[in-house]
Amino acid sequence: MELTPPATARTLLVDDEPLIRAGLRLILDGTPGIEVVGEAGDGRAGVQAVASLRPHVVLMDLRMPVLDGIAATREIVASGHGAAVVVLTSFDTEGFIADALDAGAQGFLLKNAPPEELIDAVRQAAAGGMPFSPAVLRRVAQLAARAPRPDAADPLAELSDREREVALLIADGLGNQEIADRLYLSLPTVKTYVGRLLGKLDASNRVQIALAVQRARVG
């Protein structure tokens, strides 16, 4: 799937293991269109680095001192700086996945992912996509299917026809430019629709829009 990231995807590495950060930097810094702009060894330092460095993408470990990755993700998303948080961890239990998505993570990658998957994930996240390791994506679908519905109402019922079209394409994994091309809309118009969807579906990012759509599909 071809997305359109910024000319250079500014990336922040947040992990308490220096060797992990060094390995990630080695992979990413040698890739055209990606620049590692900083590192942090705990979640609190990661939140502060986002405020000062304004990265497009944050690769976030979960288990860290001072402030864990879930809490750090929640603060980064709430800050409004616009950084896309991609969780990078060894743990793919449903509890970790659900907590990360609830905090506003835009993607979830396992640390045993091959380098090309990591590079693609950074590019997707920078372009507004939702990168997930295949094993994690299966668990996300299971979580969406089992999630309790607050009532019998279709969460998409209050959307306009065009908003519904955009929501369905987000759930299918398309980025903003792809949605614009598919629906013959301008990119700013698509971004406006995405903003409306975030408000109407009480979602903090595209992943939560996609989950709302999946719940409607299985409900």
Side-chain angles (χ1 to χ4, degrees):
M1 180 174 58
E2 200 66 33
L3 298 175
T4 307
T8 300
R10 295 168 54 81
T11 305
L12 174 68
L13 311 177
V14 184
D15 196 297
D16 63 332
E17 296 187 37
L19 285 177
I20 295 292
R21 298 199 305 272
L24 294 173
R25 181 180 282 276
L26 185 64
I27 293 169
L28 297 174
D29 256 352
T31 301
I34 298 177
E35 177 189 6
V36 177
V37 295
E39 301 180 15
D42 62 72
R44 176 55 61 205
V47 172
Q48 295 167 347
V50 167
S52 61
L53 299 174
R54 300 299 177 93
H56 298 109
V57 179
V58 179
L59 292 179
M60 178 73 71
D61 189 22
L62 287 182
R63 290 187 171 178
M64 292 182 293
V66 185
L67 190 70
D68 64 53
I70 299 296
T73 296
R74 186 172 288 108
E75 290 195 22
I76 288 169
V77 172
S79 72
H81 292 310
V85 178
V86 177
V87 168
L88 185 62
T89 181
S90 302
F91 308 99
D92 66 343
T93 64
E94 290 189 359
F96 280 123
I97 296 170
D99 288 346
L101 296 182
D102 182 64
Q106 191 160 305
F108 201 111
L109 209 63
L110 298 179
K111 285 185 176 178
N112 62 2
E116 58 270 21
E117 188 174 324
L118 174 67
I119 291 168
D120 186 57
V122 170
R123 288 174 170 161
Q124 283 193 51
M130 301 174 293
F132 286 88
S133 291
V136 175
L137 191 56
R138 287 192 293 272
R139 291 184 180 271
V140 170
Q142 293 167 356
L143 284 169
R146 294 200 305 267
R149 301 278 297 277
D151 51 50
D154 179 356
L156 309 185
E158 300 302 317
L159 304 182
S160 69
D161 289 344
R162 184 62 88 186
E163 288 168 347
R164 181 184 288 263
E165 287 180 311
V166 172
L168 291 171
L169 292 177
I170 288 174
D172 288 339
L174 274 67
N176 286 349
Q177 186 61 61
E178 290 181 313
I179 294 172
D181 294 342
R182 181 76 62 88
L183 299 179
Y184 302 102
L185 299 172
S186 69
L187 186 58
T189 298
V190 172
K191 291 180 178 178
T192 297
Y193 279 121
V194 173
R196 292 178 185 171
L197 289 169
L198 292 172
K200 288 189 174 183
L201 298 176
D202 193 25
S204 61
N205 62 21
R206 300 168 73 89
V207 174
Q208 294 181 357
I209 293 174
L211 290 174
V213 172
Q214 293 298 337
R215 284 193 291 269
R217 284 172 169 171
V218 301

